[in-house]
Amino acid sequence: MLNLDFISIGEVLIQLNNISPGPLRYARYFEVHVAGAEFNVLTALSKLGFQVGLITRLGNDEFGEMVLRALRAENIDTTYVKIMDEAPTGIYFIQRHYPVPGKSTVFYYRHGSAASYMNEEDVQEDYVKKARRVFLTGITPALSESCYRAVKKLHDLAHDLGKEIIFDTNIRLKLWKTAENARAKLLPLLQDSKIVFTNKEDLNILFPQTTLEEAVSKLFQMGSDIVVVKLGEEGGSVYTKYGEAYYEKAYRAPIIEDVIGAGDAFDAVFIASLLKGFSLREALKLANLAGMMVVTVRGDIEAQPDWKALEVLKKFYEEKMDILR
Ligand code: KDG
């Protein structure tokens, strides 16, 4: 019988990453990757030894075939991956180091994609029953009204079946259009999420005119046990409902190719570390390491670590801490 540690729902996209830094108007060569926040997190969890499954839709096209191969290669259960004729697999482009060096910008070509047609029918109770935890993000509910309903159904089923919900707010204003829309739709979905990953910008959108501490405590009132505030190149902070709070500085990447996807590896390694029994502080450190690894390459999943890679890298940094951090 199929037993899954994590399931998620989300769009897997073809990522066309400009090989050269600079504005896309001068792009000549794109490198092809498979990516998407939920897919990225599941892939990282799979590398760390967990059984995972994704609910999604793909177009009946060559890119859909490419995504399917990636799902299989990364050992992600595809029982609820639906292939549809009527819409294509979504794609997006990445522009790197322009206008801000070290940062990336995404350009979506995903409106009307196969995944945007997901609805309540894609979420089946038997699949949720097979899973121990459900990982959700703020991206899928922004794709369409029917996607929102699908995520809401998965959230509610998970809650009713006593499954742990883990949520990354991942607010993409390019998809939501307005902050008000994002806030109205996301707050009900965040209810009862045991672990919430977020950042300062998202907290500002979700809880305007509050301090960071007030926003975090609102999440505790909504049922969270742990809130992780990702601070990008600054590292991350973790807060618990019992009043613990820790900050861990980021590791400085020797090179930055593309920062997209770092937060997903961070999430997966943080969750996996807690499940392995590591302390919150240690989980934060390892999550920072994982995020740092991902920014050193183009593509979101390629440099995600397994336990062995994390161990090697941690040792390397510990021994050279003074000069490298
Ligand atoms: O977290 C990385 C994702 O943002 C990227 O892979 C694309 O899923 C994506 C999105 O919707 O932005």
Side-chain angles (χ1 to χ4, degrees), residues 26-294:
Y26 294 109
R28 293 296 175 267
Y29 299 101
F30 288 102
E31 194 174 75
V32 183
H33 296 271
V34 177
E38 300 81 7
F39 163 76
N40 296 344
V41 170
L42 292 183
T43 299
L45 287 167
S46 169
K47 290 180 188 185
L48 296 164
F50 294 94
Q51 301 300 315
V52 300
L54 181 68
I55 301 167
T56 194
R57 288 200 194 192
L58 299 168
N60 188 6
D61 48 31
E62 286 299 320
F63 285 151
E65 194 56 56
M66 185 184 284
V67 172
L68 204 51
R69 282 163 189 246
L71 290 165
R72 291 187 184 129
E74 302 301 343
N75 210 14
I76 298 175
D77 179 68
T78 55
T79 309
Y80 284 96
V81 175
K82 188 169 170 184
I83 313 288
M84 62 187 286
D85 290 329
E86 302 81 5
T89 304
I91 67 173
Y92 73 115
F93 293 82
I94 294 187
Q95 168 175 292
R96 302 181 298 118
H97 298 286
Y98 183 87
V100 184
K103 303 286 180 198
S104 298
T105 312
V106 299
F107 298 94
Y108 297 130
Y109 291 75
R110 67 197 299 185
H111 187 72
S113 67
S116 72
Y117 284 93
M118 283 192 288
N119 62 42
E120 302 91 319
E121 296 299 305
D122 293 74
V123 178
Q124 293 299 320
E125 186 169 345
D126 73 302
Y127 204 46
V128 188
K129 281 188 176 153
K130 291 186 172 96
R132 300 176 74 172
R133 300 173 190 83
V134 173
F135 177 79
L136 301 174
T137 85
I139 297 175
T140 315
L143 298 180
S144 64
E145 271 304 313
S146 65
C147 280
Y148 179 80
R149 294 197 305 273
V151 176
K152 182 83 172 77
K153 179 173 175 188
L154 182 52
H155 171 278
D156 293 353
L157 275 173
H159 176 261
D160 295 349
L161 293 166
K163 310 289 179 175
E164 191 171 280
I165 302 169
I166 303 173
F167 205 107
D168 189 324
T169 54
N170 258 338
I171 297 182
R172 303 280 188 264
L173 283 180
K174 278 186 179 166
L175 298 173
W176 286 111
K177 309 291 187 224
T178 68
E180 292 66 34
N181 195 19
R183 178 165 54 248
K185 291 287 185 47
L186 285 180
L187 285 178
L189 293 176
L190 276 162
Q191 194 70 40
D192 297 311
S193 299
K194 287 297 153 209
I195 304 180
V196 175
F197 293 96
T198 187
N199 59 39
K200 286 182 183 170
E201 296 74 28
D202 287 8
L203 286 175
N204 264 326
I205 291 173
L206 292 167
F207 307 106
Q209 273 115 44
T210 56
T211 64
L212 187 129
E213 286 69 25
E214 284 164 355
V216 168
S217 72
K218 284 195 189 291
L219 287 167
F220 293 139
Q221 285 159 24
M222 290 165 68
S224 298
D225 292 345
I226 295 176
V227 177
V228 183
V229 181
K230 294 187 272 186
L231 303 164
E233 61 214 23
E234 303 297 325
S237 297
V238 60
Y239 303 84
T240 73
K241 69 172 179 186
Y242 304 110
E244 291 164 284
Y246 305 106
Y247 163 75
E248 281 293 332
K249 194 170 158 194
Y251 295 83
R252 192 155 53 84
I255 43 163
I256 297 180
E257 275 291 328
D258 173 20
V259 294
I260 306 288
D264 304 326
F266 180 106
D267 291 7
V269 168
F270 184 87
I271 299 164
S273 301
L274 289 191
L275 291 174
K276 236 185 162 194
F278 294 157
S279 69
L280 290 165
R281 212 182 249 292
E282 184 64 11
L284 260 188
K285 277 189 195 163
L286 293 174
N288 278 335
L289 273 180
M292 187 269 278
M293 290 168 91
V294 168

